Amino acid sequence: MKDNGSVDDFVISITEEVLEKMHYLHATLTETLRLYPAVLVDGRCADADDVLPDGFHISKGDGVYYLSYAMGRMPYIWGNDAEDFRPERWLKGGIFQPESPFKFIAFHAGPRICLGKDFAYRQMKILSMALLHFFRIYIGKSIRNPKYAPVVETVFHQLFCFKTLYDYQTEVAKKTPTSRLLLLEQSEIYTTNSRNIEHILKTNFGKYSKGKQNQEVIHDLFGKGIFAVDGEKWKQQRKLASLEFSARVLRDFSCTVFRKGAAKLVGKVFELSVANHVFDMQELLMRCSLDSIFKVGFGVDLNCLDGSSGDDNEFIKAFDDSNALTYCRYVDPFWKLKRYFNIGSEFLLKENIKFIGEFVDESIRTRRKHLEMK
C-alpha cells in the first residue's frame, strides 16, 4: 500500500478520457450486473387488456413482472454459458459492445430507463480502479388456458421459498419463461422473455403503469417521487431530472466526488487490513456510495465511510431495513393490518422512515445554513 499522497495522485489521474478507455473493466462491471442486478425483480401493472409478443394474454389489473436476476441465468438469452462469469461476452475486438436494454435489464429500459446509469458506471469504475491498483484481492469459496401463461405457483410457494426466492424463480423461469402467480384478487405474470419486456416497457408503455398495488406498497418509503408515480407527475419529474443529469457541471462535480470517495475507501480498506480486521466489503461500498449521493445531491459530507457518527450509522441501517421491510410487503398478506395497528414489521418500517425523513431534513437545513454564511 502506497502513502495517502500517492492515492490522491492516482485517483486524480482517473480522468474522463481514461474511463472511456476502460473497456474490459466496463465489461466486467456489466457482467457482474448481468448476474447480480441491484433490482432483482421489477414490473408494471396492466391498465388495459393486452397480448404479449409470446402470445400470452394479459387482463386489466394483472401485475406483470420481469425477473432481472433470473434473466441473467437464462441459456436461451445468453447461451449455454449463461451462468458463467465471462466479461468477454461484452467485447468485440477489445471494444465494449452493449446489448439491448430489454435483454440486459439492470438499469430498467424504455422511457423510464435509469437516468443515473452513466453516473453509476463512472463511480464503479473509479472505485474498482482504485481498489485494484492498491490491493490484492483473494476470493474464497463461495388453471390451464393456452391463451394465458401457465400457473406454476401460488403466493404460498413464494412464502415457503422466500429466503431463496430469486433462485427459486430462476429455476421456474428455466422451465417456463412466462408464468403466472395466483393471488386472491388478480394474477401476476412473471417473464424473462426480452420481447415481452420491450413490449411492456417501450412498445406498449402507455398500457402499463406502476399500478395501485405497487404504489400502495412503496408509497410510505418513496412518497410521490419519480420512482413511485405515473402520468404527468412522472413526466414532470423526469424532465427536471434529465436536465440535471445531462449538465456537464454535474458530471464533472460528481467525478471529483467519486475520486475523493475512492481515495477515502482505499484508506479505509488499508486501515482495516493492517489491523487484521474482518470487514464487509459490500457494506463499505454502500457507505461510500451514500457519501457520494449526499455530497452530489445535497452538498453535505455524510461521512458514512468513517463510521464516526452514530446518526450516520443509524441512517444506513434505517435505509437498508426500510428497503427490506417494504419489499416484504409483497409477500405478506397481513401488512395492511399490521400498519393499521402499527405492530411488527410495519411499526419498524414507520420508525425507520421517520428517522430517514428527519435525517435528510436536518442535512438540508445544515446545507442551507452553510450557504447563508457564505
Side-chain angles (χ1 to χ4, degrees):
M1 170 73 188
K2 302 174 183 178
D3 59 39
N4 287 336
S6 63
V7 174
D8 292 334
D9 292 340
F10 177 77
V11 295
I12 289 173
S13 72
I14 306 176
T15 63
E16 193 71 27
E17 291 72 25
V18 170
L19 292 175
E20 289 295 326
K21 295 177 182 178
M22 298 291 106
H23 291 283
Y24 194 86
L25 178 57
H26 196 101
T28 301
L29 293 170
T30 303
E31 181 72 348
T32 302
L33 288 169
R34 180 183 73 85
L35 290 168
Y36 301 99
V39 180
L40 307 182
V41 178
D42 202 355
R44 313 288 285 160
C45 178
D47 293 332
D49 292 348
D50 196 15
V51 181
L52 297 178
D54 60 8
F56 291 121
H57 287 221
I58 302 293
S59 297
K60 180 179 179 180
D62 282 349
V64 186
Y65 296 86
Y66 58 86
L67 307 173
S68 309
Y69 179 87
M71 284 182 70
R73 290 158 172 75
M74 294 296 108
Y76 75 87
I77 297 178
W78 300 101
N80 292 330
D81 62 350
E83 297 197 52
D84 295 339
F85 183 82
R86 195 170 66 82
E88 291 78 11
R89 75 175 77 244
W90 298 92
L91 299 171
K92 186 175 182 180
I95 305 299
F96 179 81
Q97 300 294 319
E99 287 281 2
S100 163
F102 305 102
K103 178 179 176 181
F104 173 68
I105 199 72
F107 291 96
H108 206 67
R112 296 187 79 126
I113 194 168
C114 178
L115 286 170
K117 176 182 175 181
D118 292 338
F119 286 81
Y121 268 114
R122 202 170 289 125
Q123 183 180 29
M124 288 189 292
K125 285 182 181 179
I126 291 172
L127 293 178
S128 298
M129 291 171 71
L131 289 171
L132 292 171
H133 182 78
F134 290 102
F135 298 100
R136 288 184 178 179
I137 300 173
Y138 298 93
I139 302 174
K141 294 181 179 179
S142 86
I143 308 170
R144 298 187 178 276
N145 184 329
K147 289 186 177 181
Y148 291 89
V151 176
V152 296
E153 56 181 341
T154 67
V155 69
F156 299 107
H157 289 85
Q158 291 200 346
L159 285 170
F160 183 75
C161 302
F162 187 69
K163 290 186 177 180
T164 57
L165 180 59
Y166 303 116
D167 293 314
Y168 167 73
Q169 289 175 331
T170 298
E171 293 308 310
V172 170
K174 285 179 179 178
K175 301 172 185 176
T176 314
T178 303
S179 62
R180 274 192 300 155
L181 169 72
L182 286 183
L183 297 173
L184 293 176
E185 299 177 352
Q186 64 183 53
S187 291
E188 287 186 351
I189 289 79
Y190 291 88
T191 187
T192 56
N193 186 317
S194 58
R195 289 171 59 236
N196 288 345
I197 294 167
E198 183 172 5
H199 179 86
I200 297 161
L201 300 184
K202 181 182 177 183
T203 311
N204 271 23
F205 179 76
K207 279 191 175 182
Y208 295 88
S209 63
K210 279 288 183 180
K212 183 179 178 181
Q213 182 197 10
N214 287 325
Q215 288 174 333
E216 282 183 340
V217 167
I218 66 178
H219 178 267
D220 290 337
L221 182 58
F222 293 106
K224 295 181 180 179
I226 193 170
F227 296 113
V229 295
D230 287 307
E232 288 303 315
K233 288 183 179 179
W234 171 75
K235 289 179 182 178
Q236 290 170 3
Q237 294 187 51
R238 178 81 181 191
K239 185 177 181 180
L240 287 172
S242 296
L243 290 172
E244 291 292 334
F245 275 93
S246 61
R248 183 178 179 84
V249 64
L250 179 61
R251 189 187 72 182
D252 293 343
F253 176 63
S254 66
C255 262
T256 300
V257 172
F258 297 157
R259 292 187 193 103
K260 289 181 178 178
K264 202 171 181 179
L265 178 62
V266 167
K268 188 67 176 179
V269 172
F270 177 68
E271 174 190 327
L272 293 169
S273 300
V274 169
N276 203 27
H277 286 169
V278 176
F279 58 91
D280 186 338
M281 192 67 205
Q282 185 172 350
E283 182 182 348
L284 291 183
L285 290 169
M286 178 183 174
R287 288 172 177 269
C288 186
S289 295
L290 281 174
D291 282 345
S292 298
I293 290 169
F294 266 74
K295 185 63 177 178
V296 173
F298 302 109
V300 174
D301 292 311
L302 200 58
N303 294 320
C304 286
L305 193 56
D306 290 339
S308 55
S309 168
D311 283 348
D312 294 346
N313 290 328
E314 194 172 343
F315 172 79
I316 293 173
K317 187 176 187 307
F319 183 79
D320 214 21
D321 289 350
S322 294
N323 276 283
L325 291 167
T326 297
Y327 173 72
C328 286
R329 284 179 168 182
Y330 282 102
V331 293
D332 183 355
F334 305 110
W335 74 266
K336 289 183 181 179
L337 194 63
K338 291 179 181 177
R339 184 176 65 176
Y340 180 81
F341 288 106
N342 195 29
I343 59 174
S345 57
E346 289 299 311
F347 169 77
L348 294 174
L349 179 60
K350 184 177 180 180
E351 291 296 303
N352 284 329
I353 291 174
K354 179 183 177 183
F355 179 83
I356 291 170
E358 291 173 349
F359 186 91
V360 173
D361 286 344
E362 180 59 30
S363 297
I364 294 172
R365 282 194 294 269
T366 301
R367 179 57 179 166
R368 283 176 175 169
K369 287 180 181 178
H370 288 166
L371 291 174
E372 290 170 359
M373 292 171 63
K374 289 184 178 180

